Amino acid sequence: DVPFEKLVEELNPERTLSHSPLFQVMLIVHGASRAAGPELPGISASGVELEGRSSKFDLTAFFADTGEQIGLRFQYNPDLFHPDAVIRMLSHMEVLLTALVRDPDEAVSRLPILTPEERNTVLVDWNETEAALPPERSVSELFEAQAARTPESVAVVSGLGRWTYRELNERSNRLARHLRGLGVGPEVLVGLFVERSSEMLAGILAILKAGGAYVPLDPGYPRERLSFMLEDSAARVVLTQDHLAELLDPTLGAVCVRLEADEADISREAGENLPALAGPDDLAYVIYTSGSTGRPKGVQVEHRNAVALIAWGREFFSHGELGGVLASTSVCFDLSIFELLVPLCSGGAAIIARDALELPDLAAASEVTLVNTVPSAMTELMRSGRLPDSVRTINLGGETLAPSLVNDLLRSGGAGLRVFDLYGPTEDTTYSTCARRLAEAPATIGRPISNKRVYILDRHLAPVPIGVTGDLFVAGAGVARGYLGRPELTAERFLSDPFRGGSERMYRTGDRGRHLPDGQVQFLGRLDDQVKVRGYRIELGEIEAALSKHPDILACAVAAREDPSGDRRLFGYVVLQDGGPVSPAELREFLKRTLPEFMIPSRFLFLEALPLTSNGKVDRRALPEPEVSRPELEDAFVAPRTPVEEVLAGIWREVLRIERIGVLDNFFDLGGHSLLAMQVISRARDAFQVELPLRALFESPTVALLAAAIEKERGPDDGRRRPPIAPVSRRAMGVGPASAKETGKRPRPPKP
C-alpha cells in the first residue's frame, strides 16, 4: 500500500550497489485466470509468456495458478546463482509440492525436498568409502606385525637416541608384563604421565599390549586438572617418572609405576610378545576435551576406531612420506594418534619433538618427511624460514586453513610438496575428511576418508540439498564409544544413523557445512560457543566457569577474536565486585591452577557491566574490541636501559601489538604464547646474530632476562654497550624488499 521508494526513504537502510534495499528475494503468486483471456467485443486475447532480460532482485519466484496446473518460473542474478543451482531449486520445489498434494496432512518438516537422484548422491555415492581393514584386531597387534617385518629399522628418534622396532617392542613387552601383574587388562584405564620421549611411546604400547586403555596426562597441565582427570577416569594405575610423581594427588588411590624406580622389576620381565587380550571393541584410550559446563569430558576410543585410522594412513600415504613423521603434538591432543601410531604400524619412524616449533633445531630435522600440525604452528615455521627441505608432505588440521598459507607453502616447497587439509573431531578418531590443497584453489575440507561418512542435515535430521548449509554429522568406523561417565551427553551427541537402518551411529559435530556440486565439503564454522585457538578445541563456558570462581568477580565472559595479524586469541571480560581492584596477572595466576596454558585469556578487560541480549544472556557480539595498549598498571612500567633491551622491546611491541613494553614485563602475561615466541626468537636471531633456542624465551620471559641471555651468548667481546640500532633500508643493504615492514624482520646491525 506504500510506494517502495517511500519505504526506502523512511527506513533509510544501509545502501549498497551490490543488492536492492529492504529485501533481496521476492515471491509473486498470480491467481487463477481463464486461459482464453478476457471477453471483449471484436477482440480475442490469450496469455503470452514474458521473458525478463534483467533481474531486479537477487531472486524472484513467479507462481502462476492456471486452474489446471501451477507454473513456476525463477528470475535470478547470475553473479550469485549458477544455472545448475537454480535448476536444482526448481526440482526441489516440484518434489515438495508433489508431496504436499499427495499427503496434505503431513508436517512440512517431514516432507521430502530432494529428488531421489540427489538424495542418493549426497547419502550414498559421496559416502562410498568402504575399504578393507587389516586382519589384526588391535593397535598393538598392528605394531607387533610391523616389528616382525622390520625389526632393525628405526622406529623412534628422541632425546634418548634411536630405538629400533625390536628395541621398542621388547621394551614395551617388558613393561606390559609388569602392568598385567598389577591387574591391567581390557577396559582398565591407565594414566600416562610421562615426558615426551621414546619412553612415552613405549608406555603407550605397553598399556595397549597389556590390554588396557591409556589416559594421557600432560606434565604441563595444572595439578587440579590432572587430579580431576585421574579421579573422573578412575584410573587404577598411573605410569610416570620419578620427577613427575610428586605432582600426583596421593589420595586418589591409583598404583603408581615409576619408570626409574621400578626399572629393576621391569627389566626382569620377558621381552617376547604377550598373548593379545584386547579386542576391536575394547577401549584403546580416553582423551579429555574441553567441556561447556566447566567439566572436561573424556572421549572413549576403541581399538577398531584407531585401527581404521591407521589403515587409512597406511593406504593414503607412501612409505617414503611416513619414513620420518614429526611427533610434536601433546598426547592429550588427538593429532598425536596419527603422528605416533600411523608411522609405527607402517615401517616409518616417529621423530619426537617438544612441539612443532622445535623442528628446525632437532638433530634429526633433515630426516623429517611429513609434518602433521595445526596451521598456526606452520605459519610460524614459515615465518622463520627454517622448514627443512626434507619435508615433502604437510598435514594441517585443527583450525581453518587459509589459502594464503597454502600458497606460501607451495611456492617455497616446489612442485613435489603435498599439502593436505584434514578435518575431524576427537569423537571420530582424529580425521574424518581430507582434501589436497592446491594453489589458488577454493578452500574445502574435502571428502570423507576410508570407512568414514559425512552427512549435512537440517534440524530434523533430513539431508539438505547440495549447496545448502546444514549441521555436519560424521559416521563410520571412527565414531567413538561416547563420553566416559556421561550417558546423557553421549545420547545427545551420538545418534542412531537413520540412513543405515539404525544399526550404526553418527556423531553430531556442532559444526556447520555444505556440500559443493563436486562432492567436496565446505566448512562454515560452529553452531555454539566452541572455538579453535592454535588448534585446541576450547569451550568458552569452561573458561568462564573457572573465572567465575574468583571471589572478586561478579560476572565474566570470554571471547575469541583475531588481531590485525590474523592471530586468534582469547579475551576475558570481567565485572568486579566492590571489594577492590584485581590485576590481570592475578587472574592469570588464578586460572593457571585449573586450566592449561592454551585456555588462559591473553588479555583481560574490566567492564562496568556485561552487555546483555533482550532475554538476559551475554551479548557476545556487543563485547568491546580490545584496544592495542599496554594492559598492565602504569606504575609497573620500567623503560629499556640498554641498546639490547631497546631492540628487544621493539620486537615485543611488533609481535604482541602493544604500544609500551617494560623490561620487567612477562612475555606470557602480556598475551604471548609459543607461536608468538617463535617470532620473537626468529627476529632476535636476525637482530643480534646469535643462535637462540626457543626455550630461551620460556626460561627468560622478560626483556631484561632475555637481554642478559643474549649478552651472555654474544660473549665478552660483543657485550659492550652500543648505540641503538636504527632501521636501515633493506634495498640499500641489497638484501631484499624495500623495508623491514615488508619482511617482518629487523635489519641486522653492522659488525663492530
Side-chain angles (χ1 to χ4, degrees), residues 613-694:
T613 62
S614 57
N615 60 5
K617 294 184 178 181
V618 175
D619 187 353
R620 296 184 184 277
R621 295 184 179 182
L623 291 170
E625 289 284 347
E627 296 181 2
V628 181
S629 62
R630 187 171 180 272
E632 301 295 339
L633 299 175
E634 288 301 315
D635 57 7
F637 178 79
V638 177
R641 301 156 298 190
T642 69
V644 174
E645 290 181 349
E646 287 182 15
V647 174
L648 281 178
I651 293 174
W652 285 28
R653 280 195 297 271
E654 295 171 1
V655 171
L656 294 173
R657 299 184 178 275
I658 293 176
E659 295 174 0
R660 298 183 69 194
I661 297 291
V663 298
L664 302 182
D665 292 334
N666 186 294
F667 179 79
F668 301 100
D669 285 345
L670 295 182
H673 51 71
S674 57
L675 300 181
L676 295 178
M678 184 68 179
Q679 290 190 47
V680 170
I681 293 299
S682 176
R683 299 184 190 197
R685 284 171 178 155
D686 287 345
F688 301 107
Q689 301 182 54
V690 295
E691 280 301 317
L692 290 173
L694 182 61

Side-chain angles (χ1 to χ4, degrees), residues 290-403:
S290 180
S292 58
T293 62
R295 175 186 174 190
K297 52 188 182 290
V299 181
Q300 304 175 95
V301 177
E302 299 172 345
H303 277 272
R304 62 181 178 84
N305 306 136
V307 166
L309 174 72
I310 294 169
W312 166 75
R314 297 200 306 189
E315 180 67 25
F316 191 81
F317 299 98
S318 68
H319 179 73
E321 288 175 302
L322 297 175
V325 177
L326 181 68
S328 61
T329 306
S330 166
V331 286
C332 292
F333 191 24
D334 64 336
L335 263 65
S336 65
I337 308 304
F338 178 93
E339 297 175 348
L340 298 173
L341 299 182
V342 171
L344 287 182
C345 296
S346 310
I351 301 174
I352 296 180
R354 183 173 60 248
D355 54 49
L357 303 182
E358 192 186 20
L359 169 59
D361 299 316
L362 291 177
S366 62
E367 301 174 43
V368 175
T369 55
L370 185 150
V371 175
N372 185 77
T373 189
V374 294
S376 48
M378 183 54 62
T379 299
E380 298 309 320
L381 284 173
M382 287 296 294
R383 284 175 178 169
S384 70
R386 303 171 72 215
L387 188 67
D389 295 335
S390 58
V391 175
R392 305 314 303 153
T393 304
I394 297 175
N395 290 349
L396 298 172
E399 295 173 330
T400 302
L401 177 54

Side-chain angles (χ1 to χ4, degrees), residues 101-123:
V101 172
R102 184 176 60 246
D103 194 356
D105 294 327
E106 182 61 274
V108 175
S109 62
R110 296 181 181 178
L111 294 176
I113 188 172
L114 302 184
T115 65
E117 294 77 16
E118 186 176 0
R119 181 182 175 89
N120 189 74
T121 296
V122 299
L123 293 180

Side-chain angles (χ1 to χ4, degrees), residues 432-723:
S432 306
T433 69
C434 177
R436 184 176 181 183
R437 295 287 293 270
L438 303 174
E440 310 302 336
T444 77
I445 57 174
R447 292 172 176 259
I449 66 175
S450 298
N451 298 302
K452 304 283 185 85
R453 302 187 299 277
V454 172
Y455 304 131
I456 310 295
L457 309 179
D458 64 18
R459 67 179 183 275
H460 305 289
L461 302 185
V464 300
I466 296 170
V468 174
T469 300
D471 297 355
L472 202 158
F473 287 73
V474 292
V479 175
R481 180 185 296 181
Y483 298 115
L484 181 65
R486 308 283 289 278
E488 299 85 2
L489 185 60
T490 297
E492 176 187 329
R493 304 302 292 269
F494 293 84
L495 310 179
S496 176
D497 185 344
F499 314 113
R500 289 295 175 108
S503 60
E504 300 183 36
R505 295 179 310 145
M506 60 183 185
Y507 173 69
R508 186 197 304 269
T509 66
D511 293 328
R512 298 166 60 251
R514 65 180 176 182
H515 273 121
L516 300 182
D518 62 355
Q520 301 273 324
V521 177
Q522 189 175 39
F523 176 79
L524 297 173
R526 290 290 301 175
L527 294 164
D528 53 22
D529 293 332
Q530 189 184 103
V531 298
K532 285 286 188 74
V533 176
R534 288 143 52 202
Y536 292 99
R537 191 173 83 179
I538 297 172
E539 295 277 5
L540 298 178
E542 182 175 357
I543 307 174
E544 292 169 350
L547 194 57
S548 64
K549 294 179 181 177
H550 193 286
D552 293 325
I553 290 181
L554 181 64
C556 63
V558 178
R561 299 184 184 276
E562 288 188 357
D563 64 19
S565 67
D567 183 33
R568 203 170 202 203
R569 305 190 191 187
L570 294 172
F571 294 90
Y573 298 84
V574 174
V575 178
L576 294 176
Q577 302 270 15
D578 297 332
V582 178
S583 72
E586 290 179 66
L587 294 180
R588 275 186 284 272
E589 286 301 317
F590 177 78
L591 291 178
K592 285 178 182 178
R593 301 174 193 170
T594 56
L595 299 180
E597 178 270 336
F598 63 84
M599 294 181 70
I600 308 295
S602 61
R603 294 278 301 281
F604 288 95
L605 287 82
F606 297 94
L607 307 178
E608 294 293 329
L610 295 178
L612 302 177
T613 62
S614 57
N615 60 5
K617 294 184 178 181
V618 175
D619 187 353
R620 296 184 184 277
R621 295 184 179 182
L623 291 170
E625 289 284 347
E627 296 181 2
V628 181
S629 62
R630 187 171 180 272
E632 301 295 339
L633 299 175
E634 288 301 315
D635 57 7
F637 178 79
V638 177
R641 301 156 298 190
T642 69
V644 174
E645 290 181 349
E646 287 182 15
V647 174
L648 281 178
I651 293 174
W652 285 28
R653 280 195 297 271
E654 295 171 1
V655 171
L656 294 173
R657 299 184 178 275
I658 293 176
E659 295 174 0
R660 298 183 69 194
I661 297 291
V663 298
L664 302 182
D665 292 334
N666 186 294
F667 179 79
F668 301 100
D669 285 345
L670 295 182
H673 51 71
S674 57
L675 300 181
L676 295 178
M678 184 68 179
Q679 290 190 47
V680 170
I681 293 299
S682 176
R683 299 184 190 197
R685 284 171 178 155
D686 287 345
F688 301 107
Q689 301 182 54
V690 295
E691 280 301 317
L692 290 173
L694 182 61
R695 67 176 182 275
L697 188 52
F698 289 87
E699 296 170 350
S700 306
T702 68
V703 169
L705 290 175
L706 188 59
I710 290 173
E711 294 284 12
K712 182 178 180 180
E713 182 69 21
R714 294 166 76 184
D717 292 336
D718 273 345
R720 58 184 175 272
R721 295 177 63 88
R722 301 178 184 171

Side-chain angles (χ1 to χ4, degrees), residues 207-244:
I207 295 169
L208 297 177
K209 284 170 174 280
Y214 71 92
V215 180
L217 306 167
D218 194 315
Y221 279 9
R223 188 167 184 170
E224 288 187 27
R225 193 177 187 85
L226 295 172
S227 296
F228 169 83
M229 294 163 68
L230 284 174
E231 183 177 12
D232 186 71
S233 64
R236 291 168 50 181
V237 178
V238 177
L239 184 63
T240 186
Q241 294 165 300
D242 288 354
H243 68 287
L244 295 176

Side-chain angles (χ1 to χ4, degrees), residues 104-305:
D105 294 327
E106 182 61 274
V108 175
S109 62
R110 296 181 181 178
L111 294 176
I113 188 172
L114 302 184
T115 65
E117 294 77 16
E118 186 176 0
R119 181 182 175 89
N120 189 74
T121 296
V122 299
L123 293 180
V124 180
D125 293 347
W126 288 344
N127 282 318
E128 287 185 346
T129 62
E130 285 77 9
L133 294 173
E136 291 82 7
R137 305 187 312 156
S138 67
V139 175
S140 51
E141 289 175 291
L142 279 175
F143 169 73
E144 289 171 357
Q146 184 61 51
R149 289 190 293 267
T150 58
E152 300 309 319
S153 296
V154 175
V156 57
V157 181
S158 74
L160 298 179
R162 297 168 181 267
W163 289 8
T164 65
Y165 275 85
R166 176 183 54 80
E167 292 170 327
L168 180 59
N169 193 40
E170 290 178 356
R171 172 64 175 169
S172 56
N173 282 336
R174 292 190 177 92
L175 185 53
R177 281 188 163 83
H178 185 74
L179 293 174
R180 275 198 186 173
L182 297 173
V184 176
E187 299 299 307
V188 174
L189 299 184
V190 180
L192 181 72
F193 191 43
V194 180
E195 299 281 4
R196 298 187 62 77
S197 67
S198 303
E199 291 285 13
M200 176 193 74
L201 194 44
I204 291 175
L205 292 171
I207 295 169
L208 297 177
K209 284 170 174 280
Y214 71 92
V215 180
L217 306 167
D218 194 315
Y221 279 9
R223 188 167 184 170
E224 288 187 27
R225 193 177 187 85
L226 295 172
S227 296
F228 169 83
M229 294 163 68
L230 284 174
E231 183 177 12
D232 186 71
S233 64
R236 291 168 50 181
V237 178
V238 177
L239 184 63
T240 186
Q241 294 165 300
D242 288 354
H243 68 287
L244 295 176
E246 62 184 22
L247 299 177
L248 299 174
D249 186 350
T251 64
L252 295 176
V255 176
C256 191
V257 176
R258 304 189 185 196
L259 292 176
E260 296 91 349
D262 297 332
E263 175 59 29
D265 293 335
I266 296 170
S267 61
R268 281 195 291 267
E269 301 285 357
E272 293 78 21
N273 291 338
L274 294 75
L277 292 184
D281 296 329
D282 289 316
L283 280 182
Y285 61 85
V286 174
I287 283 184
Y288 278 82
T289 65
S290 180
S292 58
T293 62
R295 175 186 174 190
K297 52 188 182 290
V299 181
Q300 304 175 95
V301 177
E302 299 172 345
H303 277 272
R304 62 181 178 84
N305 306 136

